[in-house]
């Protein structure tokens, strides 16, 4: 298949590009490298020493004898170029990762809120319009998020895959309908993913676009079989308070001897998936697209759920670090149940990789190897959901600066 990977320089996009290339697909990355620029603005770097994209691509050619193309393009602002690439490449499939993906970053300032909405919504809409205008019948797989459903809305009822059956009482009796699951975003970032869903519904209905929306949980891990083949292919590992996600943050914090930064009580339950399963799910999604005329297919891309405090205790017990209970910078439920349906991926053949000592050890090993690159002042999350919220600032002096 000819595949365009939008956002192919990112944490999920890079290993996906390599995986699909390894499987014999003809891959072209479209990316504006904005994620690398945000690191510069935040004065932080991936814990792992990621190489410039050109070097990554040359290294991949060397180790695999396969080429991955690259177009440096802003999907959100360069519509004409995007449409020209789509028309020129005539892709069979497009994987859309190209959005600003950090909830704390999206809540940081007025500017980052506006950037997140402008970037994400325009990128998605430009892509949909480009498909309609060029008439290219590519299968589109978009990375959405479990966060569109919100947490705790339906108590202990399992979260379905995208659609909810509702009964409406009318004068003529009871109507049964399947509707998009009510959206209940917890951040400006998550809100953009709920807006994406409406764009997909419209373009699938109006133009027959074939769209799969992957409601992915929190991705953890770093390496895949492909990124591990050469140090120049190493994947990014975000650990800072805006972009680091919780389990990778805990592994890194343990490696540098920083108390584990549990927000609030740690009673929040979230869905997780290892990066190795992310790349496999993308392959399954583009190999099994919906038909033209179908509504968007929604797949919950998750393999397990965990409570944050349980994860912290697990890491604390194995690595001997303390847990710090910090004031929660977010507005979110202190505790929630979460049962998620992921039947469709299981039926398509996904064999879930679940949290295991081996994988945790691998993460810790990477974090230890590169711990000298960590800036301890960037660990605690300072982006707050509302001005005036209590933050961990007061506790910062009590946390060790660096015990590595
Ligand atoms: P990332 O920030 O590492 O990668 C995103 C890539 O998209 C970056 O390389 C960035 O430069 C590029 N990009 C952003 N805006 C662009 C634009 N306008 N034009 C061109 N390129 C642009 O993020 P990630 O962790 O790889 O996440 C990828 C996708 O998966 C996101 O849409 C995210 O919402 C979703 N997702 C991620 C996770 C996770 O835990 N990382 C979980 C669920 C869903
Ligand atoms: N948390 C802590 N301590 C930390 C960091 C986070 O207790 O040091 C808590 C948060 O308060 C939150 C939970 O852990 O309750 C998850 O936070 P996170 O930063 O790991 O994940 P989140 O902000 O939800 O976002 C990440 C990705 C996003 C993706 C989402 C999937 O950055 O792109 O969409 O996971 S999901 O959470 O399923 O919506």
């Amino acid at each position: 298949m000819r595949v365009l990977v939008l956002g192919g320089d990112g944490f999920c996009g890079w290993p996906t590009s390599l995986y699909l290339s390894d499987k014999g697909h003809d891959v072209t990355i479209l990316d504006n490298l904005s994620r690398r620029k945000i690191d510069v603005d935040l004065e932080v770097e991936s814990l792992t020493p990621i190489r410039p994209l050109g070097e990554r691509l040359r290294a991949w050619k060397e180790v695999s004898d396969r080429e991955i193309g690259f177009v440096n393009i802003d999907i959100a602002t360069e519509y004409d170029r995007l449409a020209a690439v789509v028309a020129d490449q005539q892709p069979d499939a497009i994987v859309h990762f190209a959005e600003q993906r950090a909830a704390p970053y999206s809540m940081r300032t007025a500017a980052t809120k506006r950037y997140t909405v402008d970037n994400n919504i325009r990128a998605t809409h430009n892509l949909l319009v480009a498909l309609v205008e060029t008439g290219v019948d590519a299968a589109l797989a978009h990375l959405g998020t479990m966060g569109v459903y919100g947490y705790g809305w339906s108590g202990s009822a399992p979260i379905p895959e995208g659609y909810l059956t509702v009964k409406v009482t009318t004068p003529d009796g009871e109507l049964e309908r399947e509707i998009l699951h009510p959206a209940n975003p917890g951040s400006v970032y998550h809100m953009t993913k709920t807006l994406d869903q409406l764009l997909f519904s419209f373009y699938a209905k109006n133009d027959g676009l074939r769209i799969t929306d992957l409601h992915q949980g929190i991705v953890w891990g770093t390496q895949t079989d492909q990124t591990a083949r050469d140090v120049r292919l190493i994947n990014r590992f975000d650990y800072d308070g805006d972009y680091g996600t919780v389990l990778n943050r805990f592994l890194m914090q343990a490696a540098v001897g920083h108390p584990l930064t549990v927000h609030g009580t740690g009673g929040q339950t979230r869905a997780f998936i290892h990066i190795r399963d992310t790349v496999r799910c993308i392959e399954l999604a583009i190999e099994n697209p919906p038909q033209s005329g179908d509504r968007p297919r929604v797949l919950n891309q998750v393999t397990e759920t965990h409570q944050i405090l349980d994860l912290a205790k697990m890491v604390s017990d194995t690595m001997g670090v303390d847990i710090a209970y910090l004031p929660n910078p977010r507005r979110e439920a202190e505790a929630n149940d979460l049962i998620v349906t992921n039947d469709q991926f299981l039926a398509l053949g996904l064999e879930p990789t679940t949290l295991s000592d081996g994988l945790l050890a691998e993460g810790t090993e990477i974090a230890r190897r590169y711990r000298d690159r960590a800036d301890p002042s960037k660990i605690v999350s300072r982006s707050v959901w509302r001005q005036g919220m209590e933050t961990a600032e007061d506790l910062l002096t009590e946390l060790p600066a660096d015990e590595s």
Side-chain angles (χ1 to χ4, degrees):
M1 269 195 258
R2 183 165 297 165
V3 188
L4 301 185
V5 181
L6 280 48
D9 187 45
F11 170 60
C12 298
W14 175 242
T16 301
S17 300
L18 296 189
Y19 180 82
L20 295 177
S21 173
D22 209 24
K23 287 286 184 125
H25 298 295
D26 178 2
V27 175
T28 300
I29 289 174
L30 276 64
D31 203 299
N32 65 348
L33 310 181
S34 51
R35 180 68 194 86
R36 291 176 186 254
K37 290 171 197 142
I38 290 174
D39 270 352
V40 174
D41 292 345
L42 297 177
E43 301 183 354
V44 67
E45 284 182 284
S46 159
L47 188 68
T48 47
I50 53 169
R51 304 298 165 91
L53 183 55
E55 188 180 346
R56 281 178 151 186
L57 297 175
R58 285 192 295 278
W60 179 242
K61 170 96 172 89
E62 237 176 84
V63 304
S64 70
D65 205 24
R66 296 192 56 79
E67 296 228 23
I68 294 180
F70 170 50
V71 183
N72 188 334
I73 179 173
D74 186 331
I75 314 292
T77 60
E78 297 183 274
Y79 173 76
D80 291 340
R81 285 187 67 212
L82 173 64
V85 173
V86 171
D88 178 52
Q89 298 252 344
Q90 297 281 319
D92 303 292
I94 299 180
V95 189
H96 175 24
F97 292 104
E99 296 183 77
Q100 191 303 99
R101 72 106 175 121
Y105 185 78
S106 79
M107 302 302 292
R108 194 178 173 87
T109 62
T112 63
K113 287 177 187 175
R114 294 177 57 239
Y115 166 69
T116 302
V117 171
D118 292 349
N119 185 63
N120 294 3
I121 302 308
R122 291 177 74 184
T124 298
H125 192 241
N126 280 350
L127 176 60
L128 295 168
V129 176
L131 285 171
V132 174
E133 191 190 17
T134 58
V136 170
D137 181 33
L140 166 59
H142 167 257
L143 273 293
T145 174
M146 278 303 296
V148 299
Y149 303 113
Y151 297 101
W153 180 83
S154 53
S156 56
I159 293 188
E161 304 206 65
Y163 300 93
L164 188 68
T165 307
V166 295
K167 290 183 177 156
V168 185
T169 310
T170 76
D172 302 325
E174 206 169 56
L175 273 183
E176 194 172 283
R177 289 280 184 272
E178 273 213 308
I179 59 167
L180 258 183
H181 189 283
N184 185 16
S187 71
V188 166
Y189 154 71
H190 287 98
M191 183 179 65
T192 64
K193 298 284 180 175
T194 72
L195 298 170
D196 282 344
Q197 291 193 105
L198 295 181
L199 298 176
F200 296 142
S201 290
F202 176 76
Y203 282 96
K205 182 181 67 172
N206 194 64
D207 299 283
L209 297 191
R210 298 185 295 131
I211 302 168
T212 305
D213 201 5
L214 302 167
H215 287 187
Q216 186 169 238
I218 301 168
V219 183
W220 71 287
T222 312
Q223 297 281 61
T224 58
D225 290 346
Q226 291 74 33
T227 63
R229 275 200 217 164
D230 187 295
V231 73
R232 293 168 296 170
L233 301 174
I234 198 164
N235 198 14
R236 60 180 308 130
F237 186 127
D238 296 308
Y239 69 91
D240 63 285
D242 274 5
Y243 276 89
T245 50
V246 66
L247 183 49
N248 277 5
R249 273 166 64 74
F250 287 170
L251 294 174
M252 172 274 173
Q253 291 164 2
V256 302
H258 191 288
L260 306 180
T261 54
V262 169
H263 293 165
T265 62
Q268 310 92 314
T269 305
R270 294 291 182 269
F272 291 84
I273 182 167
H274 194 274
I275 187 70
R276 291 181 193 168
D277 283 347
T278 290
V279 302
R280 171 80 178 119
C281 285
I282 301 291
E283 181 187 32
L284 290 171
I286 61 176
E287 282 175 349
N288 297 279
Q291 303 291 312
S292 181
D294 290 353
R295 68 186 184 185
R297 182 173 196 185
V298 180
L299 303 175
N300 289 341
Q301 190 161 310
V302 308
T303 54
E304 55 193 326
T305 60
H306 293 284
Q307 203 171 55
I308 303 305
L309 185 55
D310 289 341
L311 293 178
K313 282 184 177 154
M314 195 187 316
V315 175
S316 164
D317 288 349
T318 30
M319 311 270 302
V321 285
D322 292 339
I323 294 176
Y325 294 86
L326 302 180
N328 195 339
R330 309 183 184 204
R331 281 171 59 78
E332 60 184 2
E334 258 193 28
N336 63 282
D337 292 323
L338 183 62
I339 304 169
V340 184
T341 314
N342 64 347
D343 299 345
Q344 294 187 81
F345 267 128
L346 298 180
L348 290 174
L350 177 70
E351 290 166 17
T353 309
T354 48
L355 210 122
S356 67
D357 291 349
L359 282 175
L360 284 175
E362 184 189 313
T364 310
E365 202 266 317
I366 292 218
R368 280 207 179 113
R369 193 181 320 154
Y370 296 110
R371 67 181 168 192
D372 289 347
R373 290 173 48 85
D375 176 350
S377 74
K378 300 293 181 186
I379 292 179
V380 169
S381 205
R382 291 180 174 78
S383 293
V384 290
W385 261 230
R386 264 195 194 175
Q387 289 314 309
M389 280 176 83
E390 192 187 5
T391 72
E393 285 307 317
D394 296 342
L395 297 174
L396 286 179
T397 47
E398 293 167 28
L399 298 175
D402 184 2
E403 291 185 354
S404 59

